[in-house]
Amino acid sequence: KYMHNGISSNNYISEVHLMFTGDIIGNLPILQDALGKGGDDYDFSDMLYDASLQLKQADLAIANIEGPIFKPPYTGYPFYNSPKKLVADAQAAGISFFSTANNHSFDCGEKGLISTLDALDSLGCQHTGTYRSGDEKDCTQGVCITAAGDMRIAVLNYTYGINFMPISKSQEGLISIYNLDYDQDTLHLPNTELMEKGLAYARMFAPDLIIVLMHWGLEEEVEPNEYQRWIAQFLVSCGADLVVGNHPHVLQRYERLTVKRSDGSKRVGHVFYSLGNMLTNQSSLENRVTVIPDITLRHDKKSGQRLSFQST
């Protein structure tokens, strides 16, 4: 358990539970198995059943959906395209919020990206990370304000790149990409202005918690790299309370960060560098180890003070 500050026992305490999962990936064997139960529709519910027993207890459960939700034919790696039933069954398992910015967001081009948003909207799922237009992204600075119990949560989502898929300048606004050199091999030139603006906009709403969902790091690496750690510190210094990462497809560690800002003040943030895989056919032990952090957030509703942040 990780905790800071104290917990009050008076009657003004409000408590909510937040949960996060690893990547949900429509690999071809996953799609084939979901269709193999008979009938004409896909069924992923059995694959998600055990996790649903935990996820349904959350006030807000968030997952990354890897790749587009588009029209048939459905495909796995290297260009993902999954049926709408994948997110519908994930929603039925307790997940109500999806991050959509990842390296496979543009696997089916702009039409696939927009189709994914249409599918999530039709199900009543909240989401952030990709947008139908640059104007849609600019009007919110990539910030989605959602609720968990009686608390207000700001959520942002960024990806390191899109697998060097060809994309026009006008299409850049469709995806929150945190690297300026996303189309090069370096992938080490951060768009600090983008993230600063997003977090500044989130702070304007005075939310109870600011969450940044990051698609970052190196696949199969069990330790976060130096660039991830730098980005995490930068995000916390700009106002992020909680940073949750995906993409390495293996579990990486948790850290409680204390960062010193330019004005000399300090901020505390919490970072889960990678949660591994939630749904995949990757078979190595490292790829099959995952966690669902169950984060309890307690606030004093009378004073507005956050009293504790605890994760199990």
Side-chain angles (χ1 to χ4, degrees), residues 22-28 31 44 63-71 73-88 90 98-120 127-130 157 159-163 165 175 215 219 246-247 249 277 279:
D23 293 315
I24 295 177
I25 310 173
N27 300 102
L28 189 57
L31 299 178
F44 301 90
N64 170 62
I65 182 70
E66 191 92 2
I69 305 298
F70 198 37
K71 61 184 180 181
Y74 301 120
T75 54
Y77 182 84
F79 300 107
Y80 290 114
N81 176 23
S82 299
K84 181 179 176 181
K85 194 64 160 48
L86 178 60
V87 289
F98 292 87
S99 60
T100 56
N102 55 69
N103 56 309
H104 290 282
S105 296
F106 219 64
D107 279 6
C108 294
E110 184 174 342
K111 289 183 179 180
L113 183 150
I114 293 174
S115 173
T116 304
L117 303 180
D118 290 343
L120 293 171
H127 52 84
T128 191
T130 57
N157 172 215
T159 180
Y160 72 89
I162 51 171
N163 289 347
M165 294 289 288
I175 309 170
H215 210 76
E219 293 189 15
N246 278 307
H247 174 64
H249 303 304
N277 291 318
L279 182 62

Side-chain angles (χ1 to χ4, degrees), residues 245-271:
N246 278 307
H247 174 64
H249 303 304
V250 293
L251 192 62
Q252 293 182 348
R253 68 174 181 263
Y254 159 88
E255 280 186 354
R256 179 181 183 271
L257 294 181
T258 300
V259 299
K260 188 174 182 179
R261 298 191 286 189
S262 58
D263 62 1
S265 62
K266 293 182 179 181
R267 288 201 80 253
V268 172
H270 302 261
V271 183

Side-chain angles (χ1 to χ4, degrees), residues 284-298:
S284 74
L285 178 60
E286 291 81 3
N287 293 135
R288 295 168 60 192
V289 175
T290 188
V291 295
I292 299 177
D294 183 348
I295 295 169
T296 302
L297 183 67
R298 294 184 178 91

